[in-house]
Amino acid sequence: ASLLVHDGIMYNCSKTSDINAWSLGTGELIRTFAGHSDQVFGLTMVGENMYSSSADCAIKEWSLTTGECLRTFEGHTDYISKLVVQWVDDD
């Protein structure tokens, strides 16, 4: 399971293929991000987009504003257990 907090919203994944967004203020479910076909393991954020990794061997990029899946990165041959963002400055 993974947990990400941004702008008063908690995003979590568990043994399902969905990612849930919860209001930290009210505890209410705000949105469910659906699109993976197997368990979601990792969440990370870059800018205003969230990325998820899954046992379905894909990484998905999500709009936090609309909940829409913007892109799917496929081609891995095994599950992706976590995501780590590392910035490289070319200057």
Side-chain angles (χ1 to χ4, degrees):
S2 189
L3 181 71
L4 177 67
V5 176
H6 175 69
D7 282 346
I9 300 172
M10 177 183 69
Y11 302 86
N12 80 294
C13 58
S14 59
K15 291 188 177 186
T16 70
S17 60
D18 294 333
I19 302 158
N20 291 317
W22 304 87
S23 167
L24 289 176
T26 64
E28 292 181 51
L29 178 64
I30 298 170
R31 173 178 285 135
T32 298
F33 297 78
H36 281 290
S37 62
D38 206 338
Q39 180 178 354
V40 178
F41 292 118
L43 299 174
T44 195
M45 187 171 183
V46 177
E48 289 298 313
N49 294 339
M50 177 174 60
Y51 293 80
S52 58
S53 62
S54 172
D56 64 8
C57 304
I59 296 171
K60 291 191 177 285
E61 178 183 9
W62 305 90
S63 166
L64 294 180
T65 306
T66 66
E68 175 187 8
C69 179
L70 302 173
R71 290 192 285 180
T72 300
F73 301 89
E74 298 176 303
H76 294 86
T77 58
D78 203 353
Y79 70 90
I80 306 159
S81 61
K82 64 182 172 179
L83 300 169
V84 176
V85 176
Q86 191 170 23
W87 293 104
V88 177
D89 188 0
D90 292 332
D91 294 333

